[in-house]
């Protein structure tokens, strides 16, 4: 899958009910917190984990007469995200009030964009396996404010509210109902998160709630979805339920699976699925009704009179487009093309932009794509995982690892010695080239020295020599002995060749 133009779409997931087979239809509304130091309409800080109610400007607390002022940087981040999803950027967009009451929403409304979102149609290519991917259409991205947090479990008689999050900028990224199974839904969120992190427009931290998804699920008979795609007529699809606020890939999958089976049981029993908003309970592994579905008119949306429509210039969009980083699909294709990596290795290395940058830095020193990839993926990632460390915390710098790769490539050290050297650099630090000299780790390529070592082992083991002459497979034992006597520093290929030659004499 070098260019994402040629891939095969995965088959939709089929769930067998008691009476027939069913397919799933899933659409996601992902809320991604914009990476920005200040909120969408105030200068208050967005720092996570601050003292409750310390990051609250008067406008966030909805003090009378306070007016919102749009944060240009947040708009830029939304535009950048739209460009990253190959989406249409709307030069004209506008903010609307979505009215509802909740204690963590002091304004009594959320400022959002219903009628004129800043970003229109785009797409995400969701990789399922090499050569297998699903194109999921993005319907829109709009900017809106986050709400605060109500805390009900700190005191038996009182509830608390923390407004630090109130007014923080969110991008709501709405997909078309193009996702056809739980694994695809998780892969979609994963790919979206990866792109956002590459763009630097959202940190993708799901644990902190900076990326969370509302998951819409319906079931239909095989064939119905194709009719929907052909006609655009939603009546071919089943009634959907929306599972709110999911911030774990594992729970997203479990919730979809549960929800589909629940709907199948209802329909096969002759009942009807009610369109409603549901919550997933991870302890029980089930979804339960939260409220019946509200429609746009329930919120009495109207244009926010405090804010002018947002008009941006094409020139500004072009400037942002000129500073776009290389994105995961492009980087992966380049790694395969330029460095001869397998698609699998390229996917692992580009999964996170930090990994990809590290690998490329190793490569500039080590000068061998495949060898560098092996060392980063197998040795370094393995070692970091053991210590529960991130790539940015790696005790071995890309330059150090690049030098180790370079030493192997030049034949100065064997792969086995390289592992010892890596461990020394990892735990003690130091310059790999100097260490190899100081500690006498250089591979012996001097044929005279190797021959002497081979002769010594042969002379000391006459009985083994007789056996090996009958059974050439035993030659490996001699190679092992020579490697041992030379402290692993002899060139294994040379040893092997000499052992075979001597045993044949
Ligand atoms: P609302 O804002 O009322 O939730 P939207 O039209 O914005 O409604 O749709 C929300 C999400 O639901 C979108 O991601 C859309 O793709 C998805 N969706 C719509 N119809 C279905 C369906 N029948 N099954 C599954 N998902 C659906
Ligand atoms: Mg919705």
């Amino acid at each position: 899958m070098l260019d994402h133009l040629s891939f095969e779409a995965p088959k939709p997931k089929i769930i067998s009910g008691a009476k027939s087979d069913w397919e799933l239809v899933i659409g996601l509304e992902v809320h991604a917190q914009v990476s920005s130091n200040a909120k969408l309409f105030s200068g208050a800080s967005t720092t996570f984990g601050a003292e409750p109610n310390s990051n609250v400007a008067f406008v966030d607390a909805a003090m009378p007469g306070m007016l919102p002022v749009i944060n240009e940087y947040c708009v830029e981040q939304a535009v950048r995200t739209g460009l990253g999803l190959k989406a249409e950027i709307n030069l004209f967009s506008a903010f609307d009030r979505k009215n509802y009451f909740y204690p963590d929403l002091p304004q009594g409304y959320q400022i959002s964009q219903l009628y004129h979102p800043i970003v229109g149609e785009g797409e995400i290519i969701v990789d399922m396996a090499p050569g297998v991917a699903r194109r999921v259409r993005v319907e829109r991205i709009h900017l809106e404010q986050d709400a605060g947090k109500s805390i009900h479990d700190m005191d038996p008689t009182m509830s608390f509210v923390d407004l630090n999050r109130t007014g923080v900028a969110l991008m709501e990224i709405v997909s078309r109902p193009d996702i056809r199974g739980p694994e695809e839904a998780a892969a979609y969120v994963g790919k979206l998160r990866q792109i956002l992190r590459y763009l630097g427009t959202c940190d993708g931290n799901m644990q902190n709630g900076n990326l969370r998804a509302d998951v819409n699920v319906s079931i239909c008979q095989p064939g119905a979805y194709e009719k929907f795609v052909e006609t655009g007529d939603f009546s071919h699809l089943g009634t959907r339920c929306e599972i709110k606020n999911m911030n774990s890939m594992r729970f997203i999958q479990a919730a979809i699976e549960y929800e589909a089976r629940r709907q199948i049981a209802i329909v096969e029993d002759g009942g009807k699925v009610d369109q409603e908003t549901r919550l997933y309970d991870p302890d029980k592994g089930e979804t339960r009704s939260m409220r019946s579905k509200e429609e746009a008119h329930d919120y009495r949306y109207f244009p926010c009179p405090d804010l002018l429509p947002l008009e941006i210039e094409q020139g500004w969009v072009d400037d942002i487009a000129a500073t776009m980083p290389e994105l995961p699909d492009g980087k992966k294709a380049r790694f395969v093309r330029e460095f001869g990596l397998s698609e699998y290795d390229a996917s692992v290395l580009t999964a996170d932009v930090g990994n990809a940058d590290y690998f490329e830095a190793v490569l500039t020193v080590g000068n061998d794509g495949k060898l560098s990839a092996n060392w980063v993926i197998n040795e370094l990632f393995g070692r970091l995982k053991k210590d529960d460390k991130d790539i940015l915390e790696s005790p071995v710098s890309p330059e150090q690892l690049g030098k180790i790769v370079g030493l192997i490539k030049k034949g100065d050290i064997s792969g086995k010695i390289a592992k010892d050297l890596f461990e020394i650099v990892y735990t003690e630090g130091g310059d790999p080239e100097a260490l190899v000299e100081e500690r006498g780790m250089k591979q012996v390529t001097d044929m005279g020295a190797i021959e002497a070592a081979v002769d010594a082992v042969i002379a000391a083991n006459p009985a083994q020599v007789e056996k090996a002459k009958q059974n050439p497979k035993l030659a490996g034992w001699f190679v092992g002995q020579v490697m041992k006597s030379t402290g692993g520093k002899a060139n294994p290929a040379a040893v092997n060749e000499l052992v075979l030659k001597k045993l044949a004499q």
Side-chain angles (χ1 to χ4, degrees):
M1 196 178 7
L2 286 187
D3 50 19
H4 276 91
L5 295 174
S6 53
F7 54 78
E8 206 181 296
K11 296 228 158 33
K13 166 148 183 154
I14 306 270
I15 295 188
S16 300
K19 297 185 178 153
S20 73
D21 282 350
W22 297 89
E23 286 183 6
L24 306 191
V25 175
I26 300 157
L28 298 189
E29 297 161 88
V30 172
H31 290 92
Q33 180 175 326
V34 175
S35 289
S36 152
N37 294 330
K39 295 183 180 181
L40 182 55
F41 298 116
S42 84
S45 164
T46 58
T47 313
F48 182 82
E51 183 73 11
N53 296 309
S54 58
N55 293 341
V56 187
F58 287 133
V59 67
D60 306 319
M63 290 294 157
M66 294 298 113
L67 290 172
V69 177
I70 186 92
N71 178 341
E72 180 180 334
Y73 184 68
C74 293
V75 178
E76 180 182 332
Q77 295 287 65
V79 170
R80 190 179 299 282
T81 302
L83 292 172
L85 303 185
K86 301 193 197 83
E88 184 191 330
I89 306 298
N90 295 323
L91 299 181
F92 177 94
S93 67
F95 290 97
D96 304 296
R97 286 187 180 179
K98 179 181 184 180
N99 299 282
Y100 64 95
F101 170 80
Y102 209 74
D104 62 19
L105 185 79
Q107 284 171 163
Y109 54 84
Q110 177 194 31
I111 304 179
S112 181
Q113 296 188 307
L114 178 67
Y115 304 107
H116 301 285
I118 180 147
V119 177
E121 299 243 347
E123 67 173 32
I124 297 179
I125 306 297
V126 181
D127 312 275
M128 300 306 296
V132 181
R134 169 93 61 202
R135 185 188 305 275
V136 175
R137 293 167 298 167
V138 168
E139 185 183 314
R140 57 191 274 151
I141 304 176
H142 58 259
L143 274 168
E144 62 183 28
Q145 302 173 295
D146 203 352
K149 196 166 111 191
S150 297
I151 303 155
H152 304 295
D153 56 4
M154 256 174 70
D155 186 282
T157 58
M158 281 188 289
S159 282
F160 297 92
V161 68
D162 176 5
L163 298 183
N164 281 350
R165 211 169 192 131
T166 309
V168 164
L170 300 179
M171 296 178 281
E172 179 167 335
I173 302 156
V174 184
S175 86
R176 296 272 183 203
D178 287 349
I179 300 162
R180 307 303 314 282
E183 298 79 18
E184 274 181 35
Y188 170 88
V189 175
K191 186 66 177 280
L192 173 57
R193 179 173 180 273
Q194 185 191 24
I195 294 171
L196 295 172
R197 286 170 57 84
Y198 266 68
L199 292 168
T201 57
C202 167
D203 68 15
N205 188 332
M206 297 182 78
Q207 225 163 356
N208 289 359
N210 296 353
L211 188 85
R212 46 198 203 261
D214 297 344
V215 182
N216 295 270
V217 182
S218 67
I219 53 160
C220 66
Q221 295 282 332
Y225 180 79
E226 286 69 23
K227 282 194 194 129
F228 156 72
V229 172
E230 210 175 287
T231 59
D233 180 354
F234 277 83
S235 69
H236 291 294
L237 301 181
T239 304
R240 74 179 198 261
C241 284
E242 179 175 352
I243 312 161
K244 273 280 177 203
N245 251 330
M246 308 285 301
N247 67 346
S248 135
M249 305 277 194
R250 196 156 58 83
F251 293 159
I252 287 174
Q253 296 188 58
I256 292 171
E257 188 92 30
Y258 175 88
E259 182 58 23
R261 290 181 192 282
R262 186 188 73 85
Q263 293 180 12
I264 291 169
I266 292 174
V267 175
E268 290 198 340
D269 212 32
K272 261 180 54 198
V273 174
D274 288 327
Q275 188 173 338
E276 60 185 3
T277 303
R278 300 179 69 85
L279 271 186
Y280 179 69
D281 180 341
D283 296 329
K284 297 213 174 88
E286 56 189 43
T287 64
R288 61 166 181 270
S289 182
M290 189 173 148
R291 55 178 187 250
S292 66
K293 171 71 190 166
E294 62 293 302
E295 301 290 342
H297 62 248
D298 295 320
Y299 289 110
R300 298 288 186 270
Y301 274 98
F302 64 87
C304 183
D306 289 342
L307 288 156
L308 289 167
L310 185 58
E311 294 189 53
I312 58 178
E313 281 166 15
Q314 186 59 45
W316 189 59
V317 175
D318 295 341
D319 288 347
I320 297 170
T323 63
M324 292 287 282
E326 183 179 37
L327 292 174
D329 290 342
K331 206 183 271 295
K332 185 168 105 181
R334 183 168 62 80
F335 280 13
V336 171
R337 197 176 60 234
E338 282 182 13
F339 310 138
L341 303 189
S342 68
E343 187 168 328
Y344 175 79
D345 283 356
S347 309
V348 174
L349 291 170
T350 55
D352 190 273
V353 69
N355 294 349
D357 289 348
Y358 187 101
F359 165 73
E360 287 207 83
V362 171
L363 188 59
T364 52
V365 180
N367 245 323
D368 184 308
K370 278 190 182 163
L371 203 53
S372 301
N374 279 344
W375 274 80
V376 171
I377 295 173
N378 300 323
E379 300 305 320
L380 180 72
F381 288 176
R383 192 65 177 80
L384 290 174
K385 195 165 176 204
K386 217 164 107 190
D387 283 357
D388 201 15
K389 279 197 162 85
D390 194 56
I391 189 86
L392 298 175
E393 304 164 318
S394 170
V396 178
S397 73
E399 202 199 354
Q400 285 170 317
L401 188 54
K403 281 189 174 178
I404 296 176
V405 169
L407 287 164
I408 304 169
K409 195 175 150 82
K410 268 195 292 177
D412 279 359
I413 53 173
S414 65
K416 190 183 162 299
I417 291 286
K419 289 189 186 187
D420 298 340
L421 177 61
F422 174 82
E423 189 56 30
I424 295 171
V425 175
Y426 188 97
T427 48
E428 301 170 29
D431 174 41
E433 286 165 359
L435 281 167
V436 164
E437 294 295 339
E438 282 162 23
R439 307 204 182 183
M441 300 173 100
K442 246 199 170 132
Q443 179 158 268
V444 180
T445 42
D446 169 0
M447 289 308 268
I450 295 177
E451 187 165 4
V454 172
D455 287 342
V457 171
I458 286 184
N461 297 284
Q464 284 292 98
V465 171
E466 280 317 305
K467 280 194 213 158
K469 285 192 191 243
Q470 313 298 328
N471 181 3
K473 277 189 192 152
L474 295 178
W477 182 83
F478 286 91
V479 175
Q481 292 302 305
V482 175
M483 292 308 288
K484 213 172 180 177
S485 75
T486 57
K489 284 179 291 182
N491 180 315
V495 174
N496 196 41
E497 196 178 311
L498 271 174
V499 164
L500 290 176
K501 201 170 107 193
K502 301 254 166 185
L503 287 176
Q505 277 168 5

